[in-house]
Amino acid sequence: IYGFLLMMNFATLGIIIDWSPVWLTKDLGAPLFLGGLIIIFFNGGEIFARVAASKLITKFGDIVVGSYFSMISCTILFISILTTNLYVILFGIIIFGFGTANFVAVVLRQAISETKESVSLTVSNLLTLGFAGFIFGPAIVGYLAEIISLTFNMYLLSVIWAFNGLALLYLINKNKLKEN
């Protein structure tokens, strides 16, 4: 299950990395020189959250950092996309980058805590499953963009990552119940 969450995460990551500049320029009509802003703002939020990851997890815990941050930031992204305003979307993207940055780390940590396998084998298996998302993700995104739109993919991104946060919340709570 943890591998599937990583797979969905990596499969949809291409929406930001590969397709968001095209979305900004084609669907939203932003000038070409502003096309890469989503990548810059997303990564800016991620960098800040990853630098502060240890403090964030110590202060708030895995549930908040891995699940609630993801769900809240996905909601903010979804709402910001509804506005079709470039500045609001960029604000939503930086929050989204911050809120989802530590999802993979929390997934790995939770999976390691539940398995009897070695840490290296567990991490290797999870990342192999996760990177498999890069195989089919871009093709699905391109297909959906052709049939529906790139804007649909941006909405889908926030829905899938919010679902991932919700699923991780369930798994963490299930693990806690087993421990008690």
Side-chain angles (χ1 to χ4, degrees):
I1 294 173
Y2 290 112
F4 177 77
L5 293 179
L6 291 179
M7 184 185 302
M8 296 311 296
N9 184 283
F10 292 158
T12 55
L13 192 60
I15 296 172
I16 296 235
I17 295 170
D18 297 333
W19 293 99
S20 63
V22 178
W23 172 63
L24 274 184
T25 56
K26 294 243 184 213
D27 285 11
L28 297 182
L32 196 55
F33 69 92
L34 296 179
L37 282 180
I38 284 191
I39 297 169
I40 293 167
F41 278 67
F42 175 75
N43 286 327
E46 273 197 323
I47 289 168
F48 184 71
R50 287 188 178 153
V51 167
S54 166
K55 290 179 183 173
L56 289 170
I57 291 172
T58 300
K59 183 172 183 171
F60 297 112
D62 284 350
I63 288 178
V64 172
V65 173
S67 298
Y68 291 129
F69 277 16
S70 287
M71 292 185 290
I72 291 166
S73 66
C74 288
T75 303
I76 291 169
L77 177 63
F78 192 93
I79 292 168
S80 73
I81 295 168
L82 286 172
T83 70
T84 66
N85 180 301
L86 178 63
Y87 301 107
V88 175
I89 290 169
L90 291 175
F91 172 76
I93 283 289
I94 201 164
I95 298 298
F96 178 69
F98 179 87
T100 59
N102 294 306
F103 177 82
V104 171
V106 172
V107 167
L108 292 173
R109 186 167 139 149
Q110 288 299 311
I112 289 167
S113 73
E114 285 190 40
T115 188
K116 293 180 171 109
E117 299 291 335
S118 70
V119 171
S120 58
L121 180 62
T122 301
V123 170
S124 176
N125 288 339
L126 286 170
L127 290 178
T128 299
L129 285 170
F131 281 111
F134 283 128
I135 294 170
F136 66 85
I140 292 172
V141 170
Y143 182 74
L144 289 174
E146 187 70 30
I147 292 178
I148 303 171
S149 72
L150 283 170
T151 302
F152 174 78
N153 281 319
M154 293 302 292
Y155 287 123
L156 189 61
L157 168 73
S158 58
V159 170
I160 288 172
W161 284 28
F163 170 78
N164 273 359
L166 189 61
L168 182 59
L169 176 65
Y170 170 77
L171 292 171
I172 292 172
N173 285 329
K174 182 179 150 193
N175 191 27
K176 282 186 178 185
L177 286 174
K178 272 200 274 186
E179 291 173 0
N180 294 333

